[in-house]
Structure formats: structure tokens, C-alpha cells
Amino acid sequence: MGTGKPAGPVPRRMLFRTLCFLFALCTSPLLAQGPHLLRLEPPGMDVSAVLKTIADEKLPVGGIIIDVARSGQTLFPVPDSVFTTRVGFEDGTQLTRWIDQIHAQGLKAYAGLDAVRWWTAAYADPDPFLERPELAELDSDLSCNPANDAKYASPWHPAVRSSLVSLARELGSSYQALDGIIVCLRLSPSAYTGFSDAARRACIDALRIDPLDLAVFGVSEDWDPNLKAWMEWRPRALTDLMRELTSAYRDADGTGQDRVIAIGSGAYPAYSLRLQACCADDWLTWALDGLIDGVALDTVPGRERWHEELAVGLDVLERARLGIAPYIAIRGEHHGSVVPLTDAYGQVAGAGLGGRALLLDPVVASELESAIGLLRSRR
């Protein structure tokens, strides 16, 4: 199990696609600077206290992201879903109060959602899959070992899928004061998942191929047409789910003003097919198809040449007329373990990317002060 490094240069098919995309849209750089976004994860982070700090110290924050679902628990009731409502949030009004507080300071208010990455050992919450193991996505060893990265809900499980759509619809209908949602929808970047019963059934229905029959490792996808078909199908499957989520949110919201921003693997356009299929978050297609209005690109500093790969994604965005500025997402966690946010930012800044607008995600309360410190340094 695990993932390999990129197999050589940018794949020919993706290079051709990217060049055609740039040629068609012409070269019009986007504004990359601007107020930053800060993601807060209640109840562990005190939203009101953070807002006071931002106001008192005039920190360069343009928007607050409230994480509305973690560990299978939500900040408001979600009808007809597998989610449970967090204790103390049963009436769903606290999110409304936070949105009002955020707007009162002249900031944008976003709901944040890790769609299928539901639990890591760094979280204080209990593992939601202990009670509902059938919802978990599995790797090629038929396990969901969080040491690989995290525990993921299966995007192919009907109950997970319908619950995510219900959550998006509830956000759109009950919290119309939101300025949008920020969604991370991807599979594990460090282990090949997609071997649960639900994933196998979906693949058999779509391709007449059982993933368990494939030799995923040690065989080139160019030598096995079934393996290649499976790898190409995985990003398409997540694109279908992203389409369902964004449609549910926009239809329920009805204002036509809210934005959908995806957090995606910045190096995705530079990845080989094997690596693209692993995480499967094809944000370039999502942008081209109008499923999202913006992107926040994150990084994997532990990978060799990660900053060169990220530059490909930034180049696509900066030359495209998408009407938005790309954020660089900085997370205080790597492969399920907490890392100092300052260290993660230091690697980004060292690669010459520190001057861009940031999406800071402390992940855990202990890293929140690091995020505030970074914002102080950016005044």
C-alpha cells in the first residue's frame, strides 16, 4: 500500500489539455493578493473570541470559514442523513449567530466541509466509523487505517452520498446569509482507497470491472486497459458527486450570489494518471464545467518537487479568466498528524509562494495561535 512518486514529466494528455485551455482563454493574470481566509473548527475554537482578536488587532482577514461537519457530527440538524448533531447545537441557531457576527465585522462568512475525510487520530471526537463501519472507504488491504492519512467515508455509499447532498441543501435553504461554501472533496492522497463494497459495486456497474481483480501496484496502467479505465473513472466519479453537491446547494440557496470554492491538490495538473486517480480531486474540470467558482490550492511539502508541481496549477489559474484569485491553503496537519502551521507556511514561503492570499486551516485548537501569529506577520 502507499503511493508512488510522479512517473516522469506531466502526462501528455494533461499537458495537451492544459495548453488548449490556456490558448482558448488567453493570458490574463488574476489578482493573487488580498485578505486571507481563516478556518475555524468549533466547538474547540472560540469563534467570537477569534473575531474580537481580528477586530482589535486589525488582522488582514477577509473571510471566516466555519467547519460545519467533522467526525460525522454537524453544527445543525441534517434531515434524512447519517450525520448526528453536535451536543449544544441541536436547534441550529448558533451557526446563524456566528454568521451575523462575522458580517458585522465586514467579513465574508463561509461554511467549510471536508466531504469524505471524516476523521483522523488528531481529532478529539470519537471515530464515527466504529458504529457505522459500512460507511468507511477501504484501501487495497480492505482496511481504513488512519495512519495512512485519515479515515474516509465512501463517496460511493448511497447513505454517505445522500447525506452530503442533504447537508448541502440544508446549508443553502436554512443559512442563506452565508457567502458560500468551501468544499474539500478528495480521496486519500497517500493510499489507494476505493475497495469498499459500495465502491466495488459502483465500479462494476460503470465499467464491469471489480477493483479487487486489479493489480494496482507493480503494473503500469499502460499495460493493463482495465487498470487504466479504473484510474480514469475515479476522478469522474468524484466530479459527479461534486456536481450533485453544488447543484443541491445552489438550488436551495436560490440567490445566485453565493460562491462555491474547492480546496484541491495544487499539483493535480502535473500529476501522472496514477497520482491523479489516487486523490481524484479534478478541480480543473470542476472549474471548466462551472461546478465551482474558485479554488484554494494546498500543497504536499513532503513530496519531492512539490513546489514545481504546484506552480503548474497556479499557472493554469493565473492565466485563466475564472474571475477569482487562487488561495494557497496551509494546513496544520499532515497525514493525520498535527504539524506546526508556521512550519507548513515556512516551506511555502521558502518556495516563493508566501506572498499570495492564504487559506489558513489550524485543524486543531492548539494551532490556532500559530494562525493568528501568521496573520500578524502579514499586516
Side-chain angles (χ1 to χ4, degrees):
M1 187 188 339
T3 184
K5 295 180 179 178
V10 178
R12 185 176 301 172
R13 65 182 187 87
M14 181 55 72
L15 179 61
F16 177 76
R17 178 184 180 190
T18 301
L19 290 174
C20 289
F21 174 62
L22 296 179
F23 178 78
L25 293 176
C26 86
T27 59
S28 178
L30 296 173
L31 297 175
Q33 282 71 33
H36 309 293
L37 300 180
L38 176 62
R39 182 169 183 164
L40 300 178
E41 319 228 5
M45 300 180 190
D46 188 332
V47 176
S48 298
V50 172
L51 287 172
K52 185 178 186 303
T53 299
I54 291 171
D56 290 347
E57 301 189 27
K58 297 180 172 58
L59 299 180
V61 177
I64 297 294
I65 307 164
I66 303 294
D67 190 6
V68 297
R70 172 186 278 205
S71 307
Q73 300 181 55
T74 55
L75 300 184
F76 50 88
V78 180
D80 304 318
S81 78
V82 299
F83 295 115
T84 59
T85 309
R86 282 193 179 277
V87 175
F89 294 85
E90 290 84 0
D91 63 4
T93 60
Q94 181 59 65
L95 180 57
T96 298
R97 290 194 290 271
W98 281 330
I99 294 170
D100 291 342
Q101 290 177 33
I102 293 168
H103 284 161
Q105 290 189 202
L107 307 177
K108 299 289 187 182
Y110 297 97
L113 173 65
D114 268 325
V116 295
R117 192 178 190 266
W118 281 13
W119 190 83
T120 80
Y123 294 174
D125 298 318
D127 179 352
F129 299 112
L130 294 179
E131 293 187 0
R132 298 293 302 272
E134 75 279 5
L135 301 180
E137 192 47 71
L138 305 181
D139 57 30
S140 55
D141 289 335
L142 300 183
S143 73
C144 54
N145 185 357
N148 294 326
D149 167 43
K151 286 190 175 183
Y152 287 74
S154 174
W156 291 281
H157 195 290
V160 170
R161 206 176 184 95
S162 64
S163 296
L164 290 170
V165 171
S166 293
L167 188 153
R169 186 179 297 115
E170 187 67 18
L171 282 171
S173 61
S174 298
Y175 302 96
Q176 294 193 342
L178 282 168
D179 295 289
I181 58 175
I182 296 183
V183 182
C184 182
L185 174 60
R186 66 177 158 212
L187 300 171
S188 172
S190 60
Y192 252 102
T193 55
F195 295 89
S196 66
D197 288 345
R200 292 173 59 203
R201 283 194 296 269
C203 188
I204 292 170
D205 289 344
L207 304 176
R208 300 295 184 264
I209 296 170
D210 186 341
L212 284 181
D213 293 335
L214 300 173
V216 178
F217 306 105
V219 176
S220 169
E221 58 272 21
D222 292 328
W223 300 343
D224 184 342
N226 284 348
L227 180 60
K228 186 173 185 179
W230 178 66
M231 289 183 173
E232 292 174 338
W233 169 75
R234 289 163 59 89
R236 292 200 305 271
L238 262 63
T239 295
D240 289 342
L241 178 54
M242 179 62 84
R243 182 174 290 107
E244 291 183 46
L245 295 179
T246 56
S247 295
Y249 176 71
R250 287 168 172 156
D251 290 348
D253 175 69
T255 66
Q257 301 298 316
D258 286 14
R259 303 176 68 204
V260 177
I261 299 175
I263 298 176
S265 303
Y268 189 91
Y271 280 166
S272 65
L273 172 60
R274 177 172 290 270
L275 288 182
Q276 288 179 347
C278 189
C279 54
D281 55 336
D282 188 2
W283 52 263
L284 177 56
T285 290
W286 302 345
L288 288 169
D289 289 353
L291 305 184
I292 59 174
D293 306 298
V295 288
L297 303 181
D298 63 6
T299 62
V300 186
R303 278 178 46 79
E304 184 181 359
R305 293 170 43 222
W306 64 268
H307 54 285
E308 298 174 14
E309 297 171 337
L310 176 58
V312 175
L314 289 171
D315 187 59
V316 169
L317 283 174
E318 291 177 4
R319 292 174 181 272
R321 290 180 175 177
L322 298 178
I324 51 94
Y327 292 90
I328 300 295
I330 309 293
R331 290 177 59 86
E333 178 254 340
H334 182 59
H335 288 313
S337 299
V338 176
V339 297
L341 203 67
T342 49
D343 289 357
Y345 173 75
Q347 295 187 58
V348 171
L353 302 172
R356 296 180 176 272
L358 303 177
L359 188 163
L360 297 177
D361 184 358
V363 179
V364 294
S366 61
E367 281 303 307
L368 180 56
E369 186 56 37
S370 293
I372 298 298
L374 280 175
L375 291 168
R376 291 184 180 117
S377 72
R378 300 296 295 271
R379 283 182 296 195

